[in-house]
Amino acid sequence: MLQRILGAKGPATSALGLGCMGMSDLYGPSDRAESIATLHAAVDAGVVLLDTGDFYGMGHNEMLIGDALADAGFTRSHKRDDVQISVKFGAQRDPAGNWIGFDGRPSAVKNALSYTLRRLRVDHIDIYRPARLDPNVPIEDTVGAIADMVKAGYVRHIGLSEVGSDTLRRAVAVHPIVDLQIEYSLISRGLERDILPTCRDLGIGITAYGVLSRGLISGHWSKDWGSKDKGKGVDFRAHSPRFQGENLDHNLALVEELRRVAAEKGVTVAQIAIAWVLSQGQDIVPLVGARRRDRLAESLGALDVTLTPDDLAAIERAVPMDSAAGDRYNAHAMASLDSER
């Protein structure tokens, strides 16, 4: 497995990480046994970085990872420190699963961490980060509380998620930040304008989620998904602007252009999309959201794809910057993103 460094002061990690959200929440039903098998296959393949959130399935995802890491078959071959667990916290949900706010207060930081450690059955978290900026709490207070947990040995490194340049600068004045987790794909490139240069100036790495735009640019998405999967579980893509009506038609047309480039290269659409993110800098680690072993194997194949200048130019012609139709979240969610201000 190729390795990359998370920021100027962060740890070495695998060139690809595994985003685990879909194993528990928001993408419809998943299979527990296959999820655990996929986690094991990822670590066996050298994927070190496992990304989760305490609100993914309202604790379910952390418990799932905890079960996978405690499995006898896993512990015979691996130790706790063979993986790096990245956890987001702070998103608040009611018993029905609705999103009801964010809590970044110092007391909430420490409370959330205590439950996370118990659910994962570990004694420390490798990277701990607020999932969003709490508009009512100075970022200095939130980061300062995590820094207390670093000193106490419960957290190794501090990351941030979906924040803008000003917030990044204020945060690093309190404690080193190893990475910013933010959406980055061929059709989500807004961070290139300001946030990515700021991260590089401050020595902050990028862990890129949504590299296949929630499956939209995976090459596997079809226009009839809505009717085919209706009623099979909660899937927030049913309400995502990029998956709606004419937006979906436009975006799938972009995928077909990308498919032509991928075919000429002899790779899949997903592989060329992931390889593109990998090619944007050694400080960028894509998170792939595979829930099944076959999808994981396809994603790992992107590591063998070398994109030439001609390939990159062809990809740019197929999917130009700002060519996607629709925002990456609905209006309410977009308004909560410090990275979009």
Side-chain angles (χ1 to χ4, degrees), residues 37 162 247 304 334:
E162 288 288 358
N247 287 350
D304 297 322
M334 288 293 288

Side-chain angles (χ1 to χ4, degrees), residues 178-194:
V178 297
D179 71 323
L180 172 67
Q181 192 172 116
I182 191 167
E183 186 168 354
Y184 191 32
S185 73
L186 273 167
I187 62 171
S188 297
R189 296 173 58 182
L191 80 163
E192 292 178 2
R193 296 185 178 91
D194 178 63

Side-chain angles (χ1 to χ4, degrees), residues 68-314:
L69 298 184
D71 180 86
F74 180 87
T75 57
R76 280 195 295 268
S77 304
H78 301 283
K79 299 187 291 291
R80 159 67 180 91
D81 288 340
D82 288 343
V83 298
Q84 295 163 339
I85 304 174
S86 168
V87 178
K88 292 180 291 296
F89 70 89
Q92 305 292 291
R93 302 177 75 172
D94 68 16
N98 299 309
W99 305 96
I100 56 175
F102 189 87
D103 195 345
R105 294 173 301 157
S107 59
V109 171
K110 297 172 184 180
N111 181 69
L113 177 60
S114 66
Y115 282 94
T116 282
L117 292 168
R118 181 64 62 91
R119 285 188 290 258
L120 284 163
R121 288 181 269 171
V122 297
D123 63 2
H124 70 276
I125 302 303
D126 296 279
I127 308 171
Y128 201 53
R129 72 184 80 240
R132 296 289 186 267
L133 177 68
D134 186 338
N136 301 310
V137 178
I139 191 61
E140 292 87 350
D141 292 356
T142 303
V143 170
I146 308 174
D148 289 342
M149 298 296 91
V150 172
K151 292 175 185 175
Y154 297 117
V155 172
R156 295 288 187 265
H157 304 282
I158 301 178
L160 292 173
S161 178
E162 288 288 358
V163 299
S165 292
D166 179 63
T167 300
L168 288 167
R169 293 188 183 98
R170 290 168 56 193
V172 297
V174 176
H175 190 278
I177 304 297
V178 297
D179 71 323
L180 172 67
Q181 192 172 116
I182 191 167
E183 186 168 354
Y184 191 32
S185 73
L186 273 167
I187 62 171
S188 297
R189 296 173 58 182
L191 80 163
E192 292 178 2
R193 296 185 178 91
D194 178 63
I195 293 173
L196 183 55
T198 297
C199 284
R200 287 174 170 163
D201 182 56
L202 297 173
I204 298 172
I206 297 289
T207 43
Y209 76 88
V211 293
L212 296 178
S213 196
R214 301 163 182 83
L216 181 59
I217 61 171
S218 67
H220 302 297
W221 198 264
S222 63
K223 190 176 177 181
D224 67 347
W225 167 84
S227 58
K228 180 174 64 177
D229 288 355
K230 187 175 181 181
K232 292 187 179 180
V234 176
D235 192 320
F236 90 100
R237 289 172 294 193
H239 309 286
S240 173
R242 289 183 174 174
F243 289 82
Q244 303 300 309
E246 293 182 357
N247 287 350
L248 180 60
D249 292 337
H250 173 89
N251 294 330
L252 288 179
L254 294 176
V255 174
E256 292 310 305
E257 292 299 316
L258 185 61
R259 194 186 304 276
R260 294 187 183 93
V261 180
E264 291 180 5
K265 190 74 174 172
V267 301
T268 69
V269 176
Q271 287 168 343
I272 205 166
I274 297 168
W276 181 86
V277 178
L278 282 163
S279 74
Q280 300 307 297
Q282 290 293 313
D283 53 350
I284 298 172
V285 174
L287 300 172
V288 296
R291 299 191 290 175
R292 301 182 344 219
R293 284 168 287 180
D294 59 336
R295 293 286 195 252
L296 172 67
E298 181 183 22
S299 296
L300 290 173
L303 294 167
D304 297 322
V305 178
T306 300
L307 298 177
T308 67
D310 287 345
D311 293 332
L312 292 169

